[in-house]
Amino acid sequence: MTNIKDIAKMAGVSVTTVSRVLNHHPYVSKEKEAAVRKAIEEGNYQRNINAVHLSKGKTQLVGVVVPFLNHPYFGMLVEGIANEAVAHNFKLVLIQTNYQENREIEALHMLKLKQIDALIICSRSCEWEIVEDYISYGPIAVCEEAGGRSISSTYIDHYKSFTKALTYLHQKGHVKIGYCLGRRSGDNSRQREGAYRDFMKKLNLPQVQGYIFHDCFNLEDGEKVVQELIRMEDPPTALLVSSDQVAAGILACCNDKSIGVPDKLALMGFDNQPISRMMNITTLHIPLKEIGRKLFLQAINANEVSHEEMSVTLIERLSV
Amino acid sequence: MTNIKDIAKMAGVSVTTVSRVLNHHPYVSKEKEAAVRKAIEEGNYQRNINAVHLSKGKTQLVGVVVPFLNHPYFGMLVEGIANEAVAHNFKLVLIQTNYQENREIEALHMLKLKQIDALIICSRSCEWEIVEDYISYGPIAVCEEAGGRSISSTYIDHYKSFTKALTYLHQKGHVKIGYCLGRRSGDNSRQREGAYRDFMKKLNLPQVQGYIFHDCFNLEDGEKVVQELIRMEDPPTALLVSSDQVAAGILACCNDKSIGVPDKLALMGFDNQPISRMMNITTLHIPLKEIGRKLFLQAINANEVSHEEMSVTLIERLSV
DNA sequence: TCTTGCTATGAAATGCGTTTCATAAATTAT
DNA sequence: ATAATTTATGAAACGCATTTCATAGCAAGA
């Protein structure tokens, strides 16, 4: 393999000049540039990218932390990130955590080691303090509110969104309202729980523990929920489901069991995934691709920390 | 930032010895090792990973080429790859191509530049010849039959699978059978088309051009198909759909329009995605995660090229 | 005419860890 | 007791491109 030195020799110039040509730096005469290009051609020269990385201390790589991939939510989000990455000539390094904290720390570590130039955390598992320990090593962007912290964020306000959805359900006459969340921990869940508690309290509606479901991620989890609902003697009349996937699962199961939606049970989804459109599930649209795009831009912008709230839109369909 | 030289000085040894400790090489006395470890601790030393990469010519990175991510097929496949990658201490570099050939070539180029140690192509767009040009730079694994070529592969035989499905449909009494595929190009599609042609011809069944649909990837595409079906005066009675997503879309649309499934239209899906289970779609199970896992193992095994065919299983549900 | 200031170019320093080679000392084998 | 290994350790080479610094020539401005 030829290296820059060989090329320099072949072209009769210094390595500096070759480097200049390679990097489109000014101050190279046309003749020398031509000679260098010819040598590159003839020597079939390929820059050793790892040497470039070492030298520059940059890798044009951005880490993306996701708990898992085979879920439309993250699929869309990463799609948005990936599209923007291409446009900026960056590659993505995928770090699948399955919500394991140590995997997330590993990702942060990669930032420290400069294996990646920046890190996007789509769903955080470890403490803020730990993340903050790494901000000096490179930009970090998260998909949740990080106001006040030196970490860029593009997020939606889950408290507001949840309140919006609850208001809508209430307006539609529902009083016995329950909800389904993904993982129990995490700020997002806490925000949502808070919104629920506050809302129900304010309007003096019953807060039933049994109306609350956790660990709902996929279609299959919807079945689980319906099975529990059936067993209740006084089930909720409306369910706010933090993922369209789960809502779709619930709906399908209801159809199976001839539970009328929305008459017997109203369903409000989240995300506005294709499936919700197809199954006519009323949902809150979240601009995931757009969020992904913004996250990427924040991640590669080492100069400033920014916080961007994205708004959600209620999409009325037929499940409420 | 302290580097290996600093550590060597601090511990009163040579950089070689530090490197030995770092890499768990033998022939280091207990005392020196302890001194080195202490220095590493005190100096808060972090190996410069880019220097390691340069020196070793390896990056512990495997590239993964996918056309897009927000599709359960690729989501699952990559999930399988990612799980195995974690187990082997590799990271994945995602290359989203949107089926653009040049993006795929870029990925191959990364292999050449040693930015990645191996490449997994989940869905190939460019010519075999181009891919083969790169095999000397590192292992490549593909998710399609590559028999005879020096490229590892884990795949399912689409000809066989399609034939299996067609046979099943025919056994169930269907004669007017159509099918839906993703992209028109690609070996997989060609295999399927071939299977269809051969099967229909052999049994002397009608091959109607209008029964064939292309560019079906997502739920939404199902709608499109149904709309066309409605317009036909002599529509097919069964459809073999190369993705459960699309099958689900079709089914949902049929439900909407009160087209009885399977009475009016039988649907046979592909992949055995969660959605097919939920919607009771008869499908062919493809062990995607398993395929992903094998692909990864093939990719990091630089010593031998292997070809592994995975079998599909027909899952009888209620849509046929 | 003299001073700036730009253009052009290369030597050398910088980023940093791994690995080969050489050597010395300590064992083990013969 | 001598030869053959094994253990231990470091210097130097190797992987390679970028960037700073120094220098020289030439053109434009004062």
XYZ file of all heavy atoms in Angstrom, chain A residues 3-4 19 23 45 47-48 55, chain D residues 15-22:
229
model
N 1.727 5.078 0.681
C 1.293 6.079 1.638
C 1.688 7.459 1.152
O 2.285 7.622 0.084
C 1.837 5.780 3.035
C 3.340 5.741 3.047
O 3.940 4.709 3.341
N 3.960 6.832 2.700
N 1.392 8.414 1.954
C 1.576 9.800 1.512
C 3.039 10.107 1.162
O 3.333 10.923 0.287
C 1.058 10.780 2.597
C 0.834 12.158 2.001
C 1.991 10.827 3.784
C 0.169 13.131 2.957
N -0.427 16.569 1.237
C -1.507 16.759 2.201
C -2.370 17.951 1.794
O -3.587 17.913 1.905
C -0.934 16.976 3.595
O -1.955 17.204 4.524
N -6.305 17.779 1.004
C -7.288 18.486 1.828
C -7.773 19.793 1.217
O -8.377 20.613 1.908
C -6.704 18.742 3.212
C -6.458 17.460 3.955
O -7.391 16.796 4.377
N -5.189 17.086 4.092
N -3.321 5.383 -4.661
C -3.204 5.757 -3.256
C -4.538 5.925 -2.549
O -5.495 6.465 -3.100
C -2.412 7.072 -3.160
C -2.412 7.683 -1.791
C -1.750 7.075 -0.731
C -3.080 8.885 -1.556
C -1.754 7.643 0.525
C -3.087 9.460 -0.306
C -2.428 8.824 0.730
O -2.431 9.396 1.976
N -5.832 7.188 1.257
C -5.456 7.726 2.548
C -5.750 6.711 3.632
O -6.806 6.080 3.616
C -6.275 8.985 2.820
C -5.433 10.198 3.009
C -6.199 11.276 3.670
N -7.414 11.631 2.938
C -7.829 12.888 2.831
N -7.105 13.851 3.338
N -8.958 13.168 2.238
N -4.890 6.569 4.554
C -5.177 5.707 5.703
C -6.032 6.507 6.661
O -5.589 7.423 7.335
C -3.889 5.278 6.383
C -4.159 4.375 7.569
O -5.122 4.576 8.301
N -3.321 3.382 7.748
N -4.497 11.817 13.612
C -3.907 13.134 13.422
C -4.897 14.249 13.740
O -4.556 15.222 14.406
C -3.441 13.242 11.978
O -2.602 14.347 11.830
P 5.381 0.380 7.887
O 5.474 -0.678 6.881
O 6.065 1.680 7.676
O 3.870 0.694 8.174
C 3.088 -0.128 9.065
C 1.895 0.679 9.537
O 2.194 1.191 10.854
C 1.687 1.918 8.669
O 0.695 1.723 7.683
C 1.216 2.981 9.647
C 1.580 2.462 11.003
N 2.557 3.343 11.637
C 3.730 3.818 11.084
N 4.360 4.640 11.853
C 3.562 4.726 12.991
C 3.719 5.478 14.164
O 4.632 6.263 14.457
N 2.672 5.271 15.055
C 1.602 4.432 14.846
N 0.696 4.353 15.808
N 1.441 3.722 13.752
C 2.447 3.917 12.865
P 0.897 2.503 6.374
O -0.194 2.051 5.508
O 2.312 2.437 5.945
O 0.638 4.018 6.791
C -0.662 4.363 7.300
C -0.725 5.849 7.523
O -0.033 6.239 8.708
C -0.114 6.685 6.394
O -1.186 7.304 5.753
C 0.800 7.680 7.100
C 0.366 7.576 8.552
N 1.444 7.828 9.533
C 1.257 8.790 10.513
O 0.198 9.401 10.558
N 2.260 9.038 11.395
C 3.387 8.351 11.316
N 4.338 8.622 12.209
C 3.604 7.342 10.327
C 2.605 7.111 9.455
P -1.067 8.222 4.577
O -2.069 7.854 3.585
O 0.351 8.323 4.207
O -1.524 9.575 5.262
C -2.833 9.605 5.819
C -3.009 10.801 6.720
O -1.976 10.812 7.728
C -2.947 12.148 6.010
O -4.041 12.923 6.467
C -1.619 12.738 6.450
C -1.421 12.115 7.826
N -0.025 11.965 8.220
C 0.954 11.272 7.590
N 2.128 11.330 8.196
C 1.882 12.111 9.315
C 2.703 12.541 10.364
N 3.997 12.237 10.464
N 2.145 13.309 11.327
C 0.841 13.614 11.226
N -0.033 13.261 10.288
C 0.560 12.502 9.341
P -4.294 14.325 5.891
O -5.746 14.493 5.753
O -3.385 14.588 4.754
O -3.824 15.194 7.147
C -4.468 14.970 8.392
C -3.978 15.981 9.407
O -2.584 15.738 9.726
C -4.066 17.449 8.983
O -4.537 18.153 10.112
C -2.635 17.809 8.638
C -1.855 16.946 9.620
N -0.485 16.537 9.212
C 0.552 16.765 10.093
O 0.415 17.316 11.160
N 1.772 16.307 9.664
C 2.054 15.658 8.480
O 3.194 15.285 8.219
C 0.932 15.467 7.604
C 1.138 14.781 6.291
C -0.277 15.907 8.001
P -5.013 19.635 9.980
O -6.201 19.787 10.835
O -5.052 20.006 8.558
O -3.807 20.425 10.674
C -3.332 19.952 11.924
C -2.071 20.722 12.288
O -0.907 20.110 11.674
C -2.059 22.180 11.829
O -1.510 22.955 12.874
C -1.128 22.176 10.625
C -0.127 21.112 11.055
N 0.614 20.469 9.954
C 1.939 20.154 10.162
O 2.526 20.388 11.192
N 2.558 19.547 9.107
C 1.997 19.245 7.877
O 2.675 18.692 6.998
C 0.614 19.599 7.718
C -0.082 19.314 6.426
C -0.005 20.188 8.753
P -1.861 24.482 12.968
O -3.022 24.592 13.858
O -1.894 25.107 11.622
O -0.556 25.002 13.752
C 0.131 24.111 14.623
C 1.625 24.295 14.465
O 2.112 23.598 13.291
C 2.054 25.761 14.295
O 3.105 26.016 15.196
C 2.515 25.855 12.844
C 3.040 24.444 12.622
N 3.092 23.985 11.201
C 4.257 23.413 10.750
O 5.259 23.299 11.433
N 4.212 22.981 9.448
C 3.141 23.059 8.584
O 3.235 22.622 7.447
C 1.951 23.678 9.122
C 0.754 23.826 8.250
C 1.973 24.099 10.388
P 3.533 27.528 15.487
O 3.778 27.661 16.939
O 2.604 28.448 14.800
O 4.939 27.542 14.737
C 5.803 26.411 14.874
C 6.969 26.562 13.924
O 6.633 26.010 12.630
C 7.398 28.016 13.680
O 8.808 28.095 13.792
C 6.911 28.316 12.267
C 6.997 26.940 11.616
N 6.065 26.726 10.481
C 6.523 26.010 9.357
O 7.676 25.581 9.344
N 5.668 25.809 8.329
C 4.429 26.272 8.383
N 3.632 26.031 7.349
C 3.946 27.006 9.512
C 4.791 27.202 10.525
P 9.500 29.485 13.780
O 10.381 29.530 14.978
O 8.504 30.559 13.530
O 10.416 29.323 12.486
C 10.986 28.060 12.174
C 11.522 28.119 10.746
O 10.463 27.786 9.820
C 12.053 29.494 10.330
O 13.324 29.334 9.731
C 11.004 30.025 9.357
C 10.461 28.731 8.759
N 9.090 28.806 8.256
C 8.009 29.390 8.858
N 6.903 29.301 8.159
C 7.288 28.618 7.003
C 6.575 28.202 5.868
N 5.279 28.417 5.689
N 7.258 27.545 4.912
C 8.575 27.322 5.081
N 9.347 27.669 6.114
C 8.628 28.309 7.049
